[in-house]
DNA sequence: GTGGTCTAGACCACT
DNA sequence: GTGGTCTAGACCACG
């Protein structure tokens, strides 16, 4: 489990974990019935609170991506990589749309917004 | 003063006010020495707490965009539209960068991210 | 009546008026039964709100320095220049004491405070 | 944290808190990365509203004296005691200057003002 | 009328 | 537990 946490990022830690595990599942690096690290183990490895890991696992489970078996651990559920991809694309789309709308609200032209976007993508 | 508040947004109300007034100043719709609505008047108009409007005005003043005179009101300070534009561009840039990073974290290729972006811009 | 108003000062306008009239009385430039300018006249002369002048006159009257005769005007009361001087000294003393206490609270030595004070007095 | 609040003073409570914490930082009693009391804890201790403490902490953060981490707490930032000292001296200087100007407005001679000042400093 | 401060409590997000 | 936002209303100072 290569999870990378950026504590100075504005993205909540639990969300960073959720995002990365979802991606691992989608890309097939985590397959059905694979076991996730225990909450305590992952929290120790990432040097963060166990409650934060627990929150990430809760989100994964309520989204149907994992199944938690009491007393045993957390396992990857029957994955549907395509659905997952669509979901993640939708989320990205929302973020991009919000940014574009903010730019337009600022009175910045679409050409300029595109220019900034390309700079970021290439930089 | 056409300020539009979206209470269901995750963006704090006071920040929405700050953003929109900054934009009005930058676009010249609010000029130097123009008076802003009184705290009470705007709070009544937007149906929000006076303290929330006050907080927005405080942010504007500490940013040097307005000058507040006790017992008289809040006025637009000597504007520096260019500096303001740079600031707003920087903010947009940050949002776009976060979105791109999220896309990459999802394992979505840059080409796909660009595709989504163009769809939004053209849509 | 040479009253000088500094609108950019942090001292309230009405207080500036009160201070200067008290001083005029104390120094004998305004004597008992002398008439003060009407509220309207002074407000026009100083280009400030009549309410502000009214507030200054109210303070003077409640302090016993003037007497207002309905329909006639405001007149200097029997002055007691010595008492007035003591009062003003007391006020100055309070301000200086507050400043010194603040300096000490900041952990600035008495020598340094004295140094700053002398600089101001000589500057 | 020995913070002393004077509710009968004209100085806003939040400003009193800001002043005293700045001084604690400058004098080294609060060092880099030290945690400040939680908003709720300090508000309870001082028997004031949590919002007032929050306002003080906001001012400290916007001044770069502290760093606030959501869900964790407020911590002392890399201090710059010298800059802080200059800032506090400037504040004291302003207060002294205002007092001197008031004395002169009262028509009190510089010698007398100095006399009062020395009495306070020595008393 | 204006802004400035404060309260007592609520709800939310993050750890 | 922590901080972040918001409310509805109060009281004060200034014009």
């Amino acid at each position: 489990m290569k999870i990378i946490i950026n504590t100075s990022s504005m993205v909540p830690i639990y969300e960073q974990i959720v995002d990365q595990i979802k991606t691992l599942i989608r890309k097939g690096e985590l397959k059905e019935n694979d076991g996730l690290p225990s909450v305590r183990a992952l929290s120790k490895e990432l040097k963060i609170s166990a409650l934060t890991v627990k929150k990430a696992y809760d989100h994964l489970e309520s989204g149907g991506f994992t199944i938690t078996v009491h007393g045993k651990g957390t396992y990857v559920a029957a994955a549907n990589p395509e659905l997952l991809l669509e979901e993640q694309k939708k989320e990205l789309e929302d973020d991009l749309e919000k940014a574009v709308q903010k730019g337009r609200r600022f009175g910045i032209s679409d050409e300029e917004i595109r220019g900034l976007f390309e700079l970021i993508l290439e930089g």
Side-chain angles (χ1 to χ4, degrees), chain A:
Chain A
M1 288 284 296
K2 297 168 216 154
I3 303 279
I4 296 166
I5 295 301
N6 180 355
T7 51
S8 67
S9 154
M10 295 277 293
V11 182
I13 295 173
Y14 83 93
E15 200 175 314
Q16 296 183 37
I17 297 174
V18 169
D19 281 352
Q20 292 183 51
I21 291 182
K22 277 187 187 173
T23 301
L24 289 173
I25 293 173
R26 190 171 62 68
K27 305 197 99 177
E29 296 182 31
L30 275 176
K31 286 165 194 156
E32 194 174 344
N33 295 326
D34 278 2
L36 261 51
S38 78
V39 168
R40 287 188 55 187
L42 189 56
S43 74
K44 204 167 178 181
E45 185 187 332
L46 302 179
K47 291 175 188 164
I48 58 177
S49 161
L51 281 174
T52 305
V53 177
K54 177 69 165 48
K55 186 168 184 177
Y57 280 19
D58 284 351
H59 273 244
L60 286 166
E61 183 165 24
S62 77
F65 305 108
T66 58
I67 294 170
T68 297
V69 182
H70 193 94
K72 286 203 65 180
T74 300
Y75 300 89
V76 176
N80 186 336
E82 289 183 15
L83 195 66
L84 204 40
L85 177 59
E86 284 314 305
E87 189 194 286
Q88 290 187 326
K89 269 191 185 168
K90 183 73 182 61
E91 194 180 330
L92 171 58
E93 212 177 306
D94 285 350
D95 284 5
L96 286 172
E97 183 152 16
K98 272 182 196 165
V100 167
Q101 281 170 351
K102 179 184 272 188
R104 287 175 175 162
R105 217 166 56 226
F106 283 169
I108 299 175
S109 76
D110 282 11
E111 283 69 34
E112 277 181 298
I113 297 174
R114 178 182 284 114
L116 286 173
F117 174 80
E118 291 296 336
L119 265 176
I120 290 160
L121 212 60
E122 290 160 16

